[in-house]
Amino acid sequence: MLNISKPLFIYLQRPDNGEWVTVGRYQAGPAAGAGRFKYAPSYVDAGLTWSIDPVNLPFRPDDERPAPRYNGLHDVLRDACPDAWGQALLRREHNLPGGTPPARYLILASNADRWGALAVGTRPAPSVAQLSSPRLRQLPLLVRELAAMSEQRPAVDDQLRRRLIQTASMGGARPKATLRDDEGQYWLVKPGIASDIADIPCLEHVCRQWGAASGLDFASTVLHPAAEGRSAVRVLRYDRIGDRRLMCVSAASLLQAEYPDNMAQTNLWSYPRLAEELRIIGAPAEDRRELFGRMVFNAVCGNDDDHVRNHAVVYTHEQRRWRLAPAFDVVPNPVETPRTLTLQLSTARFDISRSAVLADAHRFGFDSSEEAGRYLDTLLTRVTNGFDQVAHWLEPEWQETLRARMQQNIALLGTTGQAHA
């Protein structure tokens, strides 16, 4: 159990000079609402004013903010916890029961590989280990080890296994690990697994290329088609620039949606609401248009895993503002063509249709439905042309499947779909 008598100190790597500072103190509690966070006096006295969560923890030095979700853990600290994959590794390593509170995972996960620029510790002064990641040349071994871990087989390499368990901090349900390339940049490596019914790494890579060819901002990927008998994709981490860590906040936190702990909150899962939050936290109007484009792209390709932890914002010090992070984890449903998305396209509308896409267009920054309709039609043309540029990555069967899916969904979203809306 989490010791609620001792505070946990939260460290931040400053976005201006990379120095680690103590940004605040978290005091755990026994239930939702009982946890408390307060910005550290030393942080305030130093004249530092960065908010680590612009929605739930705005910079108000005198406030001690409660944590109404996640068993008393603040949203942005939940963001810094491992998700399903990392939690599974930590449960095995520490013999934890199901239902272990998120705060326990926060403490057990290593600071070396957390998402974003936060770290935690029991001492007032920051102490953060440097990330020691496998190098690019070790990718085949890394893929084999991740496969063994996923299938709960003995270690292929004991030292690598220990390192991967110690840095089980990244999100998502699929096996993954951080790798560093020869230029010093960090990538997430995600291999295919035995239960996959399709080449998921290839589909993710194709979607990245397709989205970029459509003019959207997607995280860079590299496909390794035959890494030790199975494909793997590596995705450039947008929360790192070399060893510099960037502040990030998930859409789950921005929308105050307790995901995946409370799956009944579908009223909070919404592209238009996320667009509103982008406006409120000071992101430029172009980010709302970008989000609109991603919503449309997900509808066209059939990515219905577009949940609130698959969207995020990142703080850019050069601009002194939060920006929509590059798109990530965009993979078409490999089983069927979905008729709905996970996030609402407009108020109470999850269905893939032109009317649902345009109903709340003003919240994405469009002046009128007519302007949004013209933008949508141009975007659909770009998405169609983009697919033609990347289809060669796919096996013929998947080329046919995704082309048919695209044509079907573009018919629903285009002017011909207006009659059916």
Side-chain angles (χ1 to χ4, degrees), residues 207-342:
C207 266
R208 188 275 159 185
Q209 307 302 317
W210 185 6
S214 304
L216 300 172
D217 181 22
F218 275 54
S220 296
T221 62
V222 176
L223 181 66
H224 298 269
E228 294 301 310
R230 63 183 76 205
S231 65
V233 64
R234 55 184 169 102
V235 185
L236 186 65
R237 288 184 58 166
Y238 60 80
D239 67 328
R240 296 284 191 271
I241 301 178
D243 289 327
R244 180 69 63 86
R245 310 183 189 198
L246 308 181
M247 288 197 295
C248 296
V249 177
S250 73
S253 293
L254 296 180
L255 296 173
Q256 300 179 328
E258 195 171 6
Y259 186 94
D261 302 56
N262 188 345
M263 300 293 285
Q265 295 179 318
T266 55
N267 61 308
L268 301 178
W269 306 349
S270 165
Y271 284 106
R273 286 192 64 243
L274 181 54
E276 289 283 354
E277 293 299 334
L278 291 175
R279 179 185 62 80
I280 291 169
I281 67 175
E286 64 201 69
D287 284 9
R288 283 182 282 158
R289 297 285 180 100
E290 170 72 19
L291 181 64
F292 180 87
R294 294 181 196 179
M295 174 179 72
V296 172
F297 184 86
N298 284 331
V300 171
C301 78
N303 171 38
D304 59 347
D305 192 37
D306 57 325
H307 59 74
V308 289
R309 288 204 178 277
N310 277 343
H311 303 272
V313 293
V314 59
Y315 185 79
T316 59
H317 176 66
E318 294 74 18
Q319 299 180 31
R320 308 296 198 273
R321 70 197 327 183
W322 293 91
R323 298 295 308 268
L324 183 65
F328 58 97
D329 281 356
V330 179
V331 183
N333 186 315
V335 178
E336 61 185 358
T337 297
R339 297 272 56 89
T340 61
L341 295 182
T342 295

Side-chain angles (χ1 to χ4, degrees), residues 1-5 26-36 67 69-73 101-103:
M1 296 295 291
L2 181 67
N3 187 337
I4 64 174
S5 63
Y26 167 71
Q27 181 72 56
R36 292 288 188 272
R69 289 169 287 280
Y70 301 114
N71 297 104
L73 187 67

Side-chain angles (χ1 to χ4, degrees), residues 15-27:
D16 57 346
N17 62 15
E19 176 188 352
W20 283 97
V21 295
T22 300
V23 65
R25 183 190 66 190
Y26 167 71
Q27 181 72 56

